[in-house]
Coordinates of all heavy atoms in Angstrom, one line a residue:
M281 N 31.8 24.9 -18.9 CA 31.6 26.3 -18.3 C 30.1 26.6 -18.3 O 29.4 26.4 -19.3 CB 32.4 27.3 -19.2 CG 32.4 28.7 -18.6 SD 33.4 29.8 -19.6 CE 35.0 29.4 -18.8
P282 N 29.5 27.1 -17.2 CA 28.1 27.4 -17.2 C 27.7 28.6 -18.2 O 28.5 29.5 -18.4 CB 27.9 27.9 -15.8 CG 29.2 28.0 -15.1 CD 30.2 27.4 -16.0
K283 N 26.5 28.5 -18.7 CA 26.0 29.5 -19.6 C 25.7 30.8 -18.8 O 25.3 30.8 -17.7 CB 24.8 29.1 -20.3 CG 25.0 28.0 -21.3 CD 23.7 27.6 -22.0 CE 24.0 26.6 -23.1 NZ 22.8 26.3 -23.9
T284 N 25.9 31.9 -19.5 CA 25.5 33.2 -18.9 C 24.0 33.4 -19.1 O 23.4 32.6 -19.9 CB 26.2 34.4 -19.5 OG1 25.9 34.5 -20.9 CG2 27.8 34.3 -19.4
Q285 N 23.4 34.3 -18.4 CA 22.0 34.6 -18.5 C 21.5 34.7 -19.9 O 20.6 34.0 -20.3 CB 21.7 35.9 -17.7 CG 20.2 36.3 -17.8 CD 19.4 35.7 -16.7 OE1 19.8 35.0 -15.9 NE2 18.1 35.9 -16.8
N286 N 22.2 35.5 -20.8 CA 21.7 35.7 -22.1 C 21.9 34.5 -23.1 O 21.3 34.5 -24.1 CB 22.3 37.0 -22.7 CG 21.6 38.2 -22.1 OD1 20.5 38.2 -21.5 ND2 22.3 39.4 -22.3
E287 N 22.8 33.6 -22.7 CA 23.0 32.5 -23.6 C 21.9 31.5 -23.5 O 21.7 30.6 -24.4 CB 24.3 31.8 -23.2 CG 25.6 32.6 -23.6 CD 26.9 31.9 -23.2 OE1 26.8 31.0 -22.3 OE2 27.9 32.3 -23.6
K288 N 21.0 31.7 -22.6 CA 19.8 30.8 -22.4 C 18.7 31.2 -23.3 O 17.7 30.5 -23.5 CB 19.3 30.8 -21.0 CG 20.3 30.3 -19.9 CD 19.7 30.5 -18.5 CE 20.8 30.2 -17.5 NZ 20.2 30.4 -16.1
F289 N 18.8 32.4 -23.9 CA 17.7 33.0 -24.7 C 18.1 33.1 -26.2 O 19.3 33.2 -26.5 CB 17.4 34.4 -24.2 CG 16.9 34.3 -22.7 CD1 17.7 34.9 -21.7 CD2 15.7 33.8 -22.4 CE1 17.4 34.8 -20.4 CE2 15.3 33.7 -21.0 CZ 16.1 34.3 -20.1
S290 N 17.1 33.1 -27.0 CA 17.3 33.3 -28.5 C 17.6 34.8 -28.7 O 17.3 35.6 -27.8 CB 16.0 32.9 -29.2 OG 15.0 33.8 -29.0
A291 N 18.0 35.1 -29.9 CA 18.3 36.5 -30.2 C 17.0 37.4 -30.1 O 17.1 38.5 -29.6 CB 18.9 36.6 -31.6
E292 N 15.9 36.8 -30.5 CA 14.6 37.6 -30.4 C 14.3 37.8 -28.9 O 13.8 38.9 -28.6 CB 13.5 36.8 -31.1 CG 12.2 37.5 -31.0 CD 11.1 36.7 -31.7 OE1 11.3 35.5 -32.1 OE2 10.0 37.2 -31.8
E293 N 14.5 36.8 -28.1 CA 14.2 37.0 -26.7 C 15.1 38.0 -26.0 O 14.7 38.8 -25.2 CB 14.3 35.7 -25.9 CG 13.2 34.7 -26.3 CD 13.4 33.3 -25.9 OE1 14.6 32.9 -25.7 OE2 12.4 32.6 -25.7
I294 N 16.4 38.0 -26.4 CA 17.3 39.0 -25.9 C 16.9 40.4 -26.3 O 16.9 41.3 -25.5 CB 18.8 38.7 -26.4 CG1 19.3 37.4 -25.7 CG2 19.7 39.8 -26.1 CD1 20.5 36.8 -26.3
E295 N 16.5 40.5 -27.6 CA 16.0 41.8 -28.0 C 14.8 42.3 -27.2 O 14.7 43.5 -26.9 CB 15.6 41.8 -29.5 CG 15.1 43.1 -30.0 CD 14.6 43.0 -31.5 OE1 14.9 42.1 -32.2 OE2 13.9 44.0 -31.8
L296 N 13.9 41.4 -26.9 CA 12.7 41.8 -26.1 C 13.1 42.2 -24.7 O 12.6 43.2 -24.2 CB 11.7 40.6 -26.0 CG 10.9 40.3 -27.2 CD1 10.1 39.0 -27.0 CD2 9.9 41.4 -27.5
L297 N 14.0 41.5 -24.1 CA 14.5 41.9 -22.8 C 15.2 43.3 -22.8 O 15.0 44.1 -21.9 CB 15.5 40.9 -22.2 CG 14.8 39.5 -21.8 CD1 15.9 38.5 -21.5 CD2 13.9 39.8 -20.6
E298 N 16.0 43.5 -23.9 CA 16.6 44.8 -24.0 C 15.6 45.9 -24.2 O 15.7 47.0 -23.6 CB 17.6 44.8 -25.1 CG 18.9 44.0 -24.8 CD 19.8 43.8 -26.0 OE1 19.5 44.1 -27.1 OE2 20.9 43.2 -25.7
R299 N 14.6 45.7 -25.0 CA 13.5 46.7 -25.2 C 12.7 46.9 -23.9 O 12.4 48.1 -23.5 CB 12.5 46.2 -26.2 CG 13.1 46.3 -27.6 CD 12.3 45.8 -28.8 NE 10.9 45.9 -28.7 CZ 10.0 45.1 -29.3 NH1 10.5 44.1 -30.1 NH2 8.7 45.3 -29.2
L300 N 12.5 45.9 -23.1 CA 11.9 46.0 -21.8 C 12.7 46.9 -20.9 O 12.2 47.8 -20.2 CB 11.7 44.6 -21.2 CG 11.1 44.6 -19.8 CD1 9.6 45.0 -19.8 CD2 11.2 43.2 -19.2
G301 N 14.0 46.6 -20.8 CA 14.9 47.4 -20.0 C 14.9 48.9 -20.4 O 14.9 49.8 -19.5
K302 N 15.0 49.1 -21.7 CA 15.0 50.5 -22.2 C 13.7 51.2 -21.8 O 13.7 52.4 -21.5 CB 15.2 50.6 -23.7 CG 16.6 50.3 -24.1 CD 16.8 50.2 -25.6 CE 18.2 49.8 -26.0 NZ 18.4 49.7 -27.4
R303 N 12.6 50.5 -21.9 CA 11.3 51.1 -21.6 C 11.2 51.5 -20.2 O 10.7 52.5 -19.8 CB 10.1 50.1 -22.0 CG 8.8 50.6 -21.7 CD 7.9 50.7 -22.9 NE 6.5 50.9 -22.5 CZ 5.9 52.1 -22.4 NH1 6.7 53.2 -22.6 NH2 4.7 52.2 -22.1
I304 N 11.6 50.5 -19.3 CA 11.6 50.8 -17.9 C 12.5 52.0 -17.5 O 12.1 52.9 -16.8 CB 12.1 49.6 -17.1 CG1 11.1 48.5 -17.2 CG2 12.4 49.9 -15.6 CD1 11.6 47.1 -16.6
K305 N 13.7 52.1 -18.1 CA 14.6 53.2 -17.9 C 14.0 54.5 -18.3 O 14.0 55.5 -17.6 CB 15.9 53.0 -18.6 CG 16.9 54.1 -18.4 CD 18.2 53.8 -19.0 CE 19.2 54.9 -18.7 NZ 20.6 54.6 -19.3
T306 N 13.4 54.5 -19.5 CA 12.8 55.8 -20.0 C 11.7 56.2 -19.1 O 11.6 57.4 -18.8 CB 12.2 55.5 -21.5 OG1 13.3 55.2 -22.3 CG2 11.5 56.7 -22.0
L307 N 10.8 55.3 -18.7 CA 9.7 55.7 -17.8 C 10.2 56.2 -16.5 O 9.6 57.1 -15.9 CB 8.7 54.5 -17.7 CG 8.0 54.2 -19.0 CD1 7.2 52.9 -18.8 CD2 7.0 55.3 -19.3
R308 N 11.2 55.5 -16.0 CA 11.8 55.9 -14.7 C 12.3 57.4 -14.7 O 12.0 58.2 -13.9 CB 13.0 55.0 -14.3 CG 13.8 55.5 -13.1 CD 15.0 54.7 -12.8 NE 16.0 54.5 -13.8 CZ 16.9 55.4 -14.2 NH1 17.0 56.6 -13.6 NH2 17.8 55.1 -15.1
I309 N 13.0 57.7 -15.8 CA 13.5 59.1 -15.9 C 12.4 60.0 -16.1 O 12.4 61.1 -15.5 CB 14.5 59.1 -17.1 CG1 15.8 58.3 -16.7 CG2 14.9 60.5 -17.5 CD1 16.7 58.0 -17.9
Q310 N 11.3 59.7 -16.9 CA 10.2 60.5 -17.1 C 9.5 60.8 -15.8 O 8.9 61.9 -15.6 CB 9.2 59.9 -18.1 CG 9.7 60.0 -19.5 CD 8.7 59.2 -20.5 OE1 7.8 58.6 -20.1 NE2 9.0 59.3 -21.8
K311 N 9.5 59.9 -14.9 CA 8.8 60.0 -13.6 C 9.7 60.8 -12.6 O 9.3 61.1 -11.4 CB 8.5 58.7 -12.9 CG 7.3 58.0 -13.5 CD 6.1 58.7 -13.0 CE 4.8 58.0 -13.4 NZ 3.6 58.7 -12.9
G312 N 10.9 61.3 -13.0 CA 11.7 62.1 -12.2 C 12.8 61.4 -11.4 O 13.4 62.0 -10.6
F313 N 12.9 60.1 -11.6 CA 14.0 59.4 -10.9 C 15.2 59.3 -11.8 O 15.4 58.4 -12.6 CB 13.5 57.9 -10.7 CG 12.5 57.7 -9.6 CD1 11.1 57.7 -10.0 CD2 12.8 57.6 -8.3 CE1 10.2 57.5 -9.0 CE2 11.8 57.4 -7.3 CZ 10.5 57.4 -7.7
S314 N 16.1 60.4 -11.7 CA 17.3 60.4 -12.5 C 18.3 59.4 -12.1 O 19.1 58.9 -12.9 CB 17.9 61.8 -12.5 OG 18.2 62.2 -11.2
N315 N 18.2 59.0 -10.9 CA 19.2 58.0 -10.3 C 18.4 56.6 -10.2 O 17.5 56.5 -9.4 CB 19.7 58.5 -9.0 CG 20.7 57.6 -8.4 OD1 20.6 56.4 -8.4 ND2 21.8 58.2 -7.8
Y316 N 18.9 55.6 -10.9 CA 18.3 54.3 -10.8 C 18.3 53.7 -9.4 O 17.5 52.9 -9.0 CB 18.8 53.3 -11.8 CG 20.1 52.6 -11.5 CD1 20.1 51.4 -10.8 CD2 21.3 53.2 -11.8 CE1 21.3 50.8 -10.4 CE2 22.5 52.6 -11.5 CZ 22.5 51.4 -10.8 OH 23.6 50.7 -10.4
E317 N 19.4 54.0 -8.6 CA 19.5 53.5 -7.3 C 18.4 53.9 -6.4 O 17.9 53.2 -5.6 CB 20.9 53.9 -6.7 CG 22.0 53.2 -7.5 CD 23.4 53.7 -7.0 OE1 23.5 54.8 -6.5 OE2 24.3 52.9 -7.2
H318 N 18.0 55.2 -6.5 CA 16.9 55.7 -5.7 C 15.6 55.0 -6.1 O 14.8 54.7 -5.2 CB 16.8 57.2 -5.8 CG 17.9 58.0 -5.2 ND1 18.4 59.1 -5.8 CD2 18.6 57.8 -4.0 CE1 19.4 59.5 -5.0 NE2 19.6 58.7 -4.0
F319 N 15.4 54.8 -7.4 CA 14.2 54.2 -7.9 C 14.2 52.7 -7.4 O 13.1 52.2 -6.9 CB 14.2 54.2 -9.4 CG 12.9 53.5 -9.9 CD1 11.7 54.2 -10.0 CD2 12.9 52.2 -10.3 CE1 10.6 53.6 -10.4 CE2 11.8 51.6 -10.8 CZ 10.6 52.3 -10.9
A320 N 15.3 52.0 -7.4 CA 15.4 50.6 -6.9 C 15.0 50.6 -5.5 O 14.2 49.7 -5.0 CB 16.8 50.1 -7.1
Y321 N 15.5 51.5 -4.7 CA 15.1 51.6 -3.2 C 13.6 51.8 -3.1 O 13.0 51.1 -2.3 CB 15.9 52.7 -2.6 CG 15.6 52.9 -1.1 CD1 16.1 52.0 -0.2 CD2 14.7 53.9 -0.7 CE1 15.7 52.1 1.2 CE2 14.3 54.0 0.6 CZ 14.9 53.1 1.6 OH 14.5 53.3 2.9
E322 N 13.1 52.7 -3.8 CA 11.6 53.0 -3.7 C 10.8 51.8 -4.1 O 9.7 51.6 -3.6 CB 11.2 54.2 -4.6 CG 11.7 55.5 -4.0 CD 11.1 55.9 -2.8 OE1 9.8 55.7 -2.6 OE2 11.8 56.5 -1.9
S323 N 11.3 51.0 -5.0 CA 10.6 49.8 -5.5 C 10.8 48.6 -4.6 O 10.2 47.5 -4.8 CB 11.1 49.4 -6.9 OG 10.8 50.5 -7.8
G324 N 11.8 48.6 -3.7 CA 12.1 47.5 -2.9 C 12.9 46.4 -3.6 O 12.7 45.2 -3.3
I325 N 13.7 46.8 -4.6 CA 14.5 45.9 -5.4 C 16.0 46.3 -5.1 O 16.3 47.5 -5.0 CB 14.2 46.1 -6.9 CG1 12.7 45.8 -7.1 CG2 15.0 45.2 -7.7 CD1 12.2 46.2 -8.5
S326 N 16.8 45.3 -5.1 CA 18.3 45.5 -4.9 C 18.7 46.4 -6.1 O 18.4 46.2 -7.2 CB 19.0 44.1 -5.0 OG 20.3 44.3 -5.6
R327 N 19.5 47.4 -5.7 CA 20.0 48.4 -6.7 C 20.8 47.7 -7.8 O 20.8 48.0 -9.0 CB 20.7 49.5 -6.1 CG 22.0 49.2 -5.4 CD 22.7 50.4 -4.9 NE 23.9 50.0 -4.1 CZ 25.1 49.7 -4.7 NH1 25.2 49.7 -6.0 NH2 26.1 49.3 -3.9
T328 N 21.6 46.7 -7.4 CA 22.5 46.0 -8.3 C 21.6 45.2 -9.3 O 21.8 45.3 -10.5 CB 23.4 45.0 -7.6 OG1 24.2 45.8 -6.6 CG2 24.3 44.3 -8.6
Q329 N 20.6 44.5 -8.8 CA 19.7 43.8 -9.7 C 18.9 44.7 -10.6 O 18.8 44.4 -11.7 CB 18.8 42.8 -8.8 CG 18.1 41.8 -9.7 CD 19.1 40.9 -10.5 OE1 20.0 40.4 -9.9 NE2 18.8 40.8 -11.7
Y330 N 18.4 45.7 -10.0 CA 17.6 46.6 -10.8 C 18.4 47.2 -12.0 O 17.9 47.3 -13.1 CB 17.0 47.8 -10.0 CG 16.2 48.7 -10.9 CD1 14.9 48.3 -11.2 CD2 16.7 49.9 -11.4 CE1 14.2 49.1 -12.1 CE2 16.0 50.6 -12.3 CZ 14.7 50.3 -12.6 OH 14.0 51.0 -13.5
G331 N 19.7 47.6 -11.7 CA 20.5 48.1 -12.8 C 20.7 47.1 -13.9 O 20.7 47.4 -15.1
K332 N 20.7 45.8 -13.6 CA 20.8 44.7 -14.6 C 19.5 44.7 -15.4 O 19.5 44.4 -16.6 CB 21.0 43.4 -14.0 CG 22.4 43.3 -13.4 CD 22.6 41.9 -12.7 CE 23.9 41.8 -12.0 NZ 24.1 40.4 -11.4
Y333 N 18.4 44.9 -14.8 CA 17.1 44.9 -15.5 C 17.1 45.9 -16.6 O 16.6 45.7 -17.7 CB 15.9 45.1 -14.6 CG 15.7 44.0 -13.5 CD1 15.2 44.3 -12.3 CD2 16.1 42.7 -13.8 CE1 15.0 43.3 -11.3 CE2 15.9 41.7 -12.9 CZ 15.4 42.0 -11.6 OH 15.2 41.0 -10.7
E334 N 17.6 47.1 -16.3 CA 17.6 48.2 -17.3 C 18.5 47.9 -18.5 O 18.3 48.5 -19.5 CB 17.9 49.5 -16.6 CG 16.8 50.1 -15.8 CD 17.0 51.6 -15.5 OE1 18.1 52.2 -15.8 OE2 16.1 52.1 -14.8
T335 N 19.4 47.0 -18.3 CA 20.3 46.7 -19.4 C 19.9 45.4 -20.1 O 20.7 44.8 -20.9 CB 21.8 46.6 -19.0 OG1 21.9 45.6 -17.9 CG2 22.2 47.9 -18.4
G336 N 18.8 44.8 -19.8 CA 18.3 43.6 -20.5 C 18.3 42.3 -19.8 O 18.1 41.3 -20.4
D337 N 18.6 42.3 -18.5 CA 18.5 41.1 -17.7 C 17.1 40.6 -17.5 O 16.2 41.5 -17.4 CB 19.2 41.2 -16.3 CG 19.7 39.9 -15.7 OD1 19.6 38.9 -16.4 OD2 20.2 40.0 -14.6
N338 N 16.8 39.4 -17.5 CA 15.5 38.8 -17.3 C 15.0 39.1 -15.9 O 15.7 39.1 -15.0 CB 15.5 37.3 -17.6 CG 14.1 36.8 -17.8 OD1 13.2 37.5 -18.1 ND2 14.0 35.5 -17.7
L339 N 13.7 39.5 -15.8 CA 13.1 39.8 -14.5 C 11.8 39.0 -14.4 O 11.1 38.7 -15.4 CB 12.9 41.3 -14.3 CG 11.9 42.0 -15.1 CD1 11.5 43.2 -14.2 CD2 12.4 42.5 -16.4
K340 N 11.5 38.7 -13.2 CA 10.2 38.0 -12.9 C 9.1 38.9 -13.0 O 9.2 40.1 -12.8 CB 10.3 37.4 -11.5 CG 11.3 36.3 -11.3 CD 11.3 35.8 -9.8 CE 12.4 34.8 -9.6 NZ 12.4 34.3 -8.2
F341 N 7.9 38.3 -13.3 CA 6.7 39.1 -13.5 C 6.4 39.9 -12.2 O 6.0 41.1 -12.3 CB 5.5 38.1 -13.8 CG 4.2 38.8 -13.9 CD1 3.9 39.5 -15.1 CD2 3.3 38.8 -12.9 CE1 2.7 40.2 -15.2 CE2 2.1 39.4 -13.0 CZ 1.8 40.1 -14.2
L342 N 6.5 39.3 -11.1 CA 6.2 40.1 -9.8 C 7.1 41.2 -9.6 O 6.8 42.3 -9.1 CB 6.1 39.2 -8.6 CG 5.0 38.1 -8.6 CD1 5.1 37.2 -7.4 CD2 3.6 38.8 -8.7
T343 N 8.4 41.1 -10.0 CA 9.3 42.2 -9.9 C 8.9 43.3 -10.9 O 8.9 44.5 -10.6 CB 10.8 41.7 -10.3 OG1 11.1 40.7 -9.4 CG2 11.8 42.9 -10.1
L344 N 8.5 42.9 -12.1 CA 8.0 43.9 -13.0 C 6.8 44.7 -12.5 O 6.7 45.9 -12.6 CB 7.6 43.3 -14.4 CG 7.1 44.2 -15.4 CD1 8.0 45.4 -15.8 CD2 6.7 43.5 -16.7
M345 N 5.9 44.0 -11.8 CA 4.8 44.6 -11.2 C 5.2 45.6 -10.1 O 4.6 46.6 -9.9 CB 3.8 43.5 -10.6 CG 3.1 42.7 -11.7 SD 2.1 43.6 -12.9 CE 3.2 43.6 -14.3
K346 N 6.2 45.3 -9.3 CA 6.8 46.2 -8.4 C 7.2 47.5 -9.0 O 7.0 48.6 -8.6 CB 8.0 45.7 -7.6 CG 7.6 44.7 -6.5 CD 9.0 44.3 -5.8 CE 8.7 43.3 -4.7 NZ 10.0 42.9 -4.1
V347 N 7.9 47.3 -10.2 CA 8.5 48.5 -10.9 C 7.3 49.3 -11.4 O 7.3 50.5 -11.3 CB 9.3 48.0 -12.1 CG1 9.7 49.1 -13.0 CG2 10.6 47.4 -11.6
L348 N 6.3 48.7 -12.0 CA 5.1 49.4 -12.5 C 4.4 50.1 -11.4 O 3.9 51.2 -11.6 CB 4.2 48.5 -13.3 CG 4.9 47.9 -14.6 CD1 3.9 47.0 -15.3 CD2 5.5 48.9 -15.5
K349 N 4.3 49.5 -10.3 CA 3.6 50.1 -9.1 C 4.3 51.4 -8.7 O 3.7 52.5 -8.5 CB 3.5 49.2 -8.0 CG 2.8 49.8 -6.8 CD 2.6 48.7 -5.7 CE 1.9 49.4 -4.5 NZ 1.7 48.4 -3.4
T350 N 5.6 51.4 -8.7 CA 6.4 52.5 -8.3 C 6.3 53.6 -9.4 O 6.2 54.8 -9.1 CB 7.9 52.2 -8.1 OG1 8.0 51.1 -7.1 CG2 8.7 53.4 -7.6
L351 N 6.2 53.2 -10.6 CA 6.0 54.1 -11.8 C 4.6 54.6 -11.8 O 4.3 55.6 -12.6 CB 6.4 53.5 -13.1 CG 7.9 53.1 -13.3 CD1 8.0 52.3 -14.6 CD2 8.7 54.4 -13.4
E352 N 3.7 54.0 -11.1 CA 2.3 54.3 -11.1 C 1.7 54.2 -12.6 O 1.0 55.1 -13.1 CB 2.0 55.8 -10.6 CG 2.5 55.9 -9.2 CD 2.3 57.3 -8.6 OE1 2.3 58.3 -9.4 OE2 2.2 57.5 -7.4
I353 N 2.1 53.1 -13.2 CA 1.6 52.8 -14.6 C 1.0 51.4 -14.6 O 1.6 50.4 -14.1 CB 2.8 52.8 -15.5 CG1 3.4 54.2 -15.6 CG2 2.4 52.3 -16.9 CD1 4.7 54.3 -16.4
P354 N -0.3 51.3 -15.1 CA -0.9 50.0 -15.2 C -0.2 49.1 -16.2 O 0.3 49.7 -17.2 CB -2.3 50.3 -15.6 CG -2.4 51.7 -16.0 CD -1.2 52.4 -15.5
A355 N -0.2 47.8 -16.0 CA 0.5 46.9 -17.0 C -0.1 47.1 -18.4 O 0.7 47.0 -19.4 CB 0.3 45.5 -16.5
S356 N -1.4 47.3 -18.5 CA -1.9 47.4 -19.9 C -1.3 48.7 -20.6 O -1.1 48.6 -21.8 CB -3.5 47.6 -19.8 OG -3.8 48.7 -18.9
E357 N -1.1 49.7 -19.9 CA -0.5 50.9 -20.5 C 1.0 50.6 -20.8 O 1.5 51.0 -21.9 CB -0.6 52.1 -19.5 CG 0.0 53.4 -20.1 CD -0.1 54.5 -19.1 OE1 -1.1 54.6 -18.3 OE2 0.8 55.4 -19.1
F358 N 1.7 50.0 -19.9 CA 3.1 49.7 -20.1 C 3.3 48.9 -21.4 O 4.2 49.1 -22.2 CB 3.6 48.9 -18.9 CG 5.1 48.6 -19.0 CD1 6.1 49.5 -18.8 CD2 5.5 47.3 -19.4 CE1 7.4 49.2 -18.9 CE2 6.8 46.9 -19.5 CZ 7.8 47.9 -19.3
F359 N 2.5 47.8 -21.6 CA 2.7 46.9 -22.7 C 2.0 47.4 -24.0 O 2.2 46.9 -25.0 CB 2.2 45.5 -22.3 CG 3.2 44.8 -21.5 CD1 2.9 44.6 -20.1 CD2 4.4 44.4 -21.9 CE1 3.7 43.9 -19.3 CE2 5.3 43.7 -21.1 CZ 5.0 43.5 -19.8
A360 N 1.2 48.5 -23.9 CA 0.5 49.0 -25.0 C 1.5 49.5 -26.1 O 1.2 49.6 -27.3 CB -0.5 50.0 -24.6
E361 N 2.6 49.9 -25.6 CA 3.6 50.6 -26.5 C 4.8 49.8 -26.7 O 5.6 49.5 -25.8 CB 4.0 51.9 -25.9 CG 4.9 52.7 -26.8 CD 5.2 54.1 -26.2 OE1 4.3 54.7 -25.6 OE2 6.4 54.4 -26.3
G362 N 5.0 49.2 -27.9 CA 6.2 48.6 -28.3 C 6.6 47.2 -27.9 O 7.7 46.8 -28.0
F363 N 5.6 46.4 -27.6 CA 5.9 45.0 -27.2 C 5.2 44.0 -28.1 O 5.1 42.9 -27.7 CB 5.7 44.8 -25.7 CG 6.8 45.4 -24.9 CD1 6.6 46.6 -24.3 CD2 8.0 44.7 -24.7 CE1 7.7 47.2 -23.6 CE2 9.0 45.3 -24.0 CZ 8.8 46.5 -23.4
D364 N 4.7 44.4 -29.2 CA 4.0 43.5 -30.1 C 5.1 42.7 -30.8 O 6.2 43.1 -31.1 CB 3.2 44.2 -31.2 CG 2.0 44.9 -30.5 OD1 1.6 44.5 -29.5 OD2 1.6 46.0 -31.1
H365 N 4.8 41.4 -31.1 CA 5.7 40.6 -31.8 C 5.6 40.8 -33.3 O 4.7 41.0 -34.0 CB 5.4 39.1 -31.6 CG 6.2 38.5 -30.5 ND1 6.1 39.0 -29.2 CD2 7.2 37.6 -30.4 CE1 7.0 38.3 -28.4 NE2 7.6 37.5 -29.2

């Protein structure tokens, strides 16, 4: 049986992805996007896939950059809070 997405990662990596998803969701809501589907549309990301990112699915760097661009947040500011090992 094929492994699911999260079975490919260690517990620490899964925790990081979940923290990333929570951070994105929090910032999205703070920016006034109460509906993740509208935010996904504005970011040019599939709404289904974006929903998975907020719950801890792995995302590519360039996809994260799309999200940050829509949020109008530089990567340095995004990672300054809560992503230290």
Side-chain angles (χ1 to χ4, degrees):
M281 186 173 279
K283 290 184 175 185
T284 64
Q285 176 88 5
N286 284 343
E287 289 176 346
K288 298 176 187 177
F289 301 110
S290 69
E292 182 181 6
E293 291 167 331
I294 291 169
E295 180 186 344
L296 283 171
L297 289 170
E298 288 173 350
R299 286 173 38 202
L300 177 69
K302 287 177 186 176
R303 179 125 169 87
I304 290 169
K305 181 178 181 177
T306 299
L307 292 169
R308 169 184 59 80
I309 292 168
Q310 287 175 353
K311 280 290 187 177
F313 289 93
S314 58
N315 184 316
Y316 82 89
E317 293 174 335
H318 292 139
F319 182 81
Y321 177 79
E322 290 291 321
S323 300
I325 302 169
S326 148
R327 66 178 174 78
T328 304
Q329 192 58 48
Y330 180 80
K332 291 178 183 179
Y333 297 148
E334 285 195 359
T335 60
D337 202 6
N338 196 17
L339 69 156
K340 294 179 182 179
F341 179 77
L342 293 178
T343 303
L344 177 59
M345 293 300 103
K346 282 183 180 181
V347 169
L348 296 182
K349 181 177 180 180
T350 305
L351 291 170
E352 299 176 335
I353 296 174
S356 58
E357 181 181 329
F358 179 79
F359 285 107
E361 185 179 318
F363 284 96
D364 295 333
H365 266 62

